[in-house]
Amino acid sequence: MLSTQEALDAVLAAARPLGQTETVDTLAANGRVLTADVVATLDVPPMDTSAMDGYAVRRADLTGEETVLPVSQRIPAGHAPEPLAAGTAARIFTGAPVPAGADAVVMQEQCEAREDGSVVIRHAPADGEFVNRQGADIRRDSVVLAAGTRLRAPALGLAASVGTAKLQVARRLRVAVFFTGDELTMPGETLRAGSIYNSNRFVLRSLLENLGCQMTDYGIVPDNLAATRAILRDAARGNDLIITSGGVSVGEEDHVKPAVEAEGRLNLWQIALKPGKPLAYGEVNRTGASVAAGDASQTAHFIGLPGNPVSSFVTFLLFVRPFILRLQGVQDVTPRRIAMRADFTQVKADRRNEFVRARLNANGGLDAFPNQSSAVLTSTVWGDGLIDNPPGHRIEAGQTVAFLPFSDLLY
């Protein structure tokens, strides 16, 4: 079996960016991946602005602990000021342009407005105090967002702040999904003897939606080789990636593996990973004819996930998510690993790389879910993330472990 890192390296090596782009409104670009740099066409802020409600002053006019100055103008945000006359102050509000001649803003709490239209200044400001200088955030002609950036709320705000109305992004990935197992039943239907509800369909669809994919959902496929091959052929024709859940192990009713081998090729299978050993990666031919490995124009990528719900969930986060991001043009797909203290002791070490469901406790450490079975989906809701525990290592209370937070992996 391949190690987790060997398998991930092999999968990512096959994930060549699609190279197809489209232009979308910045307002509609959430979750998309940039394919061209965003370059500032102006300074941000575009002029000196006030960081406070207060009074713009010339420091040279402030002669003692208290200085009384007439107020010569009032400057709300969005209004152009007149130059500040010597010996006067300007009433100014947060975000408003600082008038020419002023070199500081004194916040209103350090001033007293008088009924005669003057103001008492009770503070000697430093040069530039409470003034946001032109270009302090962004300089004109600088790259504010690089190609390959996945656009989230802060990035979209940054693009808007330099006046970018449209963005060039990678086209959405087309993903087909199906689920194998005669035991699977959809919620709302009556459970037959020996059947279970198909939770994986809901988990995987949600994860793919979070990654901005366009989905074709073939639902539950019967446990037979012919049906599985037929769905693979159909899915390969119109999709970049096919994801299955179940059927990739070695049982007599596990038909996905032989179906992929018949319709394309399986490039890796079985990983020294817990949970998630029977993960598979390969390619499915689009035309039914034999084609060269890695020919993206003639094949669809295939990733077969285990059927156990936690195994499917974990392997999606560790392998499918970075694979999809890389296809979209994101280069850095390595999740954060936060060094944290384990506040529990494992019963025994596992020979595989184990990903332990854990959550933060009130003492700043990590607790492990008591039942780490790959069938216990409760642990994924209870937990805050995964501990990446190396093969053959038994976690002892007080040890530092590598923690991968779900907050980084689910979106």
Side-chain angles (χ1 to χ4, degrees):
M1 289 188 291
L2 294 175
S3 71
T4 303
Q5 191 59 53
E6 288 171 336
L8 181 59
D9 289 344
V11 168
L12 291 181
R16 299 177 185 87
L18 297 174
Q20 299 174 6
T21 66
E22 59 185 1
T23 301
V24 300
D25 291 342
T26 301
L27 275 173
N30 186 38
R32 306 297 290 272
V33 176
L34 276 178
T35 56
D37 294 345
V38 175
V39 178
T41 57
L42 75 168
D43 292 332
V44 178
M47 75 290 288
D48 290 353
T49 59
S50 178
M52 285 284 181
D53 290 349
Y55 293 85
V57 298
R58 296 172 180 267
R59 294 168 62 241
D61 292 335
L62 306 180
T63 57
E65 291 185 3
E66 289 190 357
T67 303
V68 179
L69 297 173
V71 177
S72 57
Q73 59 181 310
R74 183 177 184 274
I75 314 171
H79 292 260
E82 298 293 331
L84 183 64
T88 72
R91 179 70 166 119
I92 196 166
F93 298 89
T94 302
V98 175
D103 53 16
V105 172
V106 181
M107 62 181 180
Q108 62 188 18
E109 290 84 356
Q110 295 171 322
C111 304
E112 180 186 346
R114 290 184 170 178
E115 291 184 0
D116 63 2
S118 64
V119 62
V120 182
I121 308 293
R122 296 195 174 98
H123 173 66
D127 183 31
E129 187 167 324
F130 293 127
V131 175
N132 291 325
R133 295 296 187 189
Q134 178 176 342
D137 184 12
I138 299 168
R139 287 291 185 183
R140 182 176 180 171
D141 297 327
S142 63
V143 174
V144 295
L145 293 169
T149 298
R150 190 162 177 238
L151 298 166
R152 288 302 189 190
L156 292 172
L158 191 57
S161 75
V162 296
T164 306
K166 293 183 180 294
L167 294 165
Q168 185 175 308
V169 298
R171 73 156 170 84
R172 294 188 186 276
L173 195 70
R174 294 188 287 265
V175 182
V177 293
F178 66 87
F179 308 84
T180 65
D182 289 340
E183 76 279 10
L184 296 177
T185 300
M186 286 297 292
E189 299 174 354
T190 302
L191 279 178
R192 308 178 308 276
S195 64
I196 59 172
Y197 288 124
N198 183 8
S199 61
N200 286 350
R201 189 177 189 184
F202 293 83
V203 173
L204 296 184
R205 281 181 59 105
S206 297
L207 291 169
L208 288 167
E209 287 170 2
N210 290 345
L211 290 169
C213 298
Q214 289 182 338
M215 268 180 290
T216 302
D217 184 352
Y218 288 91
I220 300 168
V221 174
D223 268 338
N224 70 72
L225 182 60
T228 306
R229 290 186 62 178
I231 293 295
L232 285 173
R233 287 194 298 270
D234 189 69
R237 282 191 286 269
N239 292 281
D240 307 298
L241 170 63
I242 303 168
I243 298 175
T244 64
S245 174
V248 290
S249 193
V250 293
E252 292 181 7
E253 296 301 320
D254 291 318
H255 299 292
V256 173
K257 179 176 177 287
V260 173
E261 291 172 325
E263 297 295 331
R265 63 187 57 81
L266 206 59
N267 298 330
L268 68 85
W269 176 59
Q270 293 199 337
I271 302 168
L273 173 69
K274 181 182 179 182
K277 171 185 170 184
L279 178 82
Y281 169 75
E283 299 162 276
V284 178
N285 300 336
R286 296 191 195 279
T287 61
S290 178
V291 297
D295 185 349
S297 65
Q298 297 297 318
T299 62
H301 297 285
F302 165 82
I303 298 181
L305 302 179
N308 275 327
V310 178
S311 298
S312 178
F313 174 71
V314 170
T315 51
F316 185 100
L317 299 184
L318 298 179
F319 293 93
V320 181
R321 181 181 182 274
F323 184 81
I324 287 175
L325 292 177
R326 184 64 61 83
L327 287 178
Q328 293 173 331
V330 179
Q331 287 304 306
D332 185 6
V333 296
T334 304
R336 280 194 307 161
R337 282 171 163 75
I338 303 172
M340 296 195 68
R341 185 189 70 249
D343 286 347
F344 65 93
T345 296
Q346 263 186 327
V347 175
K348 63 178 181 179
D350 195 280
R351 62 187 179 86
R352 293 170 289 173
N353 185 180
E354 183 175 9
F355 286 82
V356 179
R357 282 87 76 197
R359 76 173 176 187
L360 306 170
N361 61 38
N363 298 317
L366 294 170
D367 297 326
F369 193 74
N371 186 347
Q372 291 288 321
S373 165
S374 60
V376 181
L377 198 56
T378 310
S379 63
T380 63
V381 176
W382 175 92
D384 294 315
L386 303 169
I387 294 172
D388 183 354
N389 190 34
H393 180 261
R394 179 172 176 266
I395 299 173
E396 300 277 358
Q399 285 183 343
T400 299
V401 294
F403 182 65
L404 286 66
F406 284 150
S407 59
D408 288 3
L409 297 172
L410 298 180
Y411 302 99

